[in-house]
Amino acid sequence: MLLIAGGSRDPNLRRLADAAAHRGLPFRSACLDAVPPLPVSWEQSRPDLWIGGEAFGPEGTSLFIRYDVFSPQSGSGQEDGRAAWYDAIKGWALAHPQVGILNRGNELREVSKPRALVWAREAGFAVPETWITNELGRFSSRENAYVAKPVCGGRQTRPLEDLREGTAGPWLVQERLDYPELRLFGVGGRHFAFEILSGMLDHRADQDARLREVEPPEALLRPMRLLMERLGGRLAWASVLF
């Protein structure tokens, strides 16, 4: 049984559920933003996770879970609820080695975009010049030259000029690159690549973005293998813009 957990507005989770249904694979979708909220519980002295009155045992269950960043924030503790909901289900999977999850060995490490960018560069990827800073005034030629990304993820890429000087938290600031964007995935010993074209800075906000599968560039396969080995998992992905 595949358990898909996250927000109902997450397009990646919807696509995964559609693919499972198309192939006739057993799955369940558990949505944080369900109304009324889904009951979730697991007793640590027992193996099963209970969601919506259904038990999921470690044997025979695989989990794909994403933190919900798509539902509107209510300002009434919803954000804290998302984190608790995510950690409760993810913690169950990590506590039971029989549960199938992607990159189990890497899940026990802290996820860090800054670290991942350094490792990607060391593996041989051409990573754009990157700063992690809240000193935005250091970029004198800001007009359309740089983009800002949240260090911890969860929000879309923005033009640097949209941010005000004096913002409290550091941002990932990078040179602005042009489309097409190439998404390269490594799954076990196989590689898959997809080209993305969009008229918007962040294609996730573009309902008309175009996606097509292409041959994985040979020059990127060795760096991908090295990065996957360092991440300690059997699945990884990289995004490249030319």
Side-chain angles (χ1 to χ4, degrees):
M1 175 69 70
L2 172 62
L3 176 59
I4 304 172
S8 63
R9 304 186 185 200
D10 188 331
N12 298 280
L13 299 189
R14 291 202 304 265
R15 181 67 184 91
L16 179 59
D18 289 344
H22 179 72
R23 289 166 173 77
L25 302 176
F27 74 96
R28 295 288 187 275
S29 292
C31 299
L32 161 66
D33 51 341
V35 179
L38 282 175
V40 176
S41 64
W42 60 286
E43 185 179 346
Q44 292 202 320
S45 62
R46 298 179 181 274
D48 290 351
L49 169 71
W50 288 82
I51 300 181
E54 183 173 1
F56 297 88
E59 297 285 352
T61 297
S62 294
L63 172 69
F64 189 89
I65 185 170
R66 277 166 54 98
Y67 192 92
D68 180 20
V69 299
F70 295 92
S71 298
Q73 298 184 24
S74 66
S76 58
Q78 175 73 3
E79 190 65 28
D80 291 340
R82 297 180 199 185
W85 193 89
Y86 177 88
D87 286 343
I89 297 177
K90 190 67 169 287
W92 171 79
L94 293 176
H96 296 92
Q98 309 96 309
V99 179
I101 56 175
L102 296 175
N103 293 349
R104 175 176 286 277
N106 192 50
E107 288 292 348
L108 298 178
R109 304 178 186 179
E110 180 185 1
V111 176
S112 169
K113 279 192 173 183
R115 181 194 66 184
L117 287 169
V118 172
W119 285 6
R121 186 188 301 274
E122 292 175 351
F125 284 103
V127 177
E129 284 297 321
T130 303
W131 298 261
I132 300 167
T133 181
N134 61 355
E135 297 179 287
L136 305 182
R138 66 189 297 175
F139 302 94
S140 57
S141 176
R142 294 170 62 178
E143 186 70 25
N144 293 321
Y146 301 99
V147 297
K149 303 177 181 180
V151 174
C152 299
R155 283 179 286 177
Q156 294 176 347
T157 302
R158 303 170 59 178
L160 182 60
E161 57 264 27
D162 285 1
L163 298 181
R164 294 181 179 179
E165 183 65 26
T167 181
W171 288 75
L172 280 168
V173 178
Q174 292 183 323
E175 300 171 284
R176 182 168 182 162
L177 303 179
D178 295 324
Y179 286 99
E181 177 178 348
L182 179 77
R183 292 277 175 129
L184 175 63
F185 294 81
V187 184
R190 302 178 63 189
H191 295 88
F192 306 88
F194 299 87
E195 182 183 84
I196 301 173
L197 289 169
S198 172
M200 302 181 69
L201 176 61
D202 193 316
H203 68 83
R204 293 171 295 180
D206 183 5
Q207 296 297 316
D208 296 322
R210 289 168 288 166
L211 172 72
R212 69 184 184 98
E213 186 172 5
V214 297
E215 283 295 318
E218 188 68 31
L220 298 181
L221 298 187
R222 183 174 184 276
M224 177 59 86
R225 286 192 289 268
L226 293 174
L227 181 59
M228 291 177 67
E229 289 174 5
R230 194 162 188 184
L231 288 171
R234 292 179 55 80
L235 182 146
W237 70 272
S239 178
V240 183
L241 287 91
F242 299 95

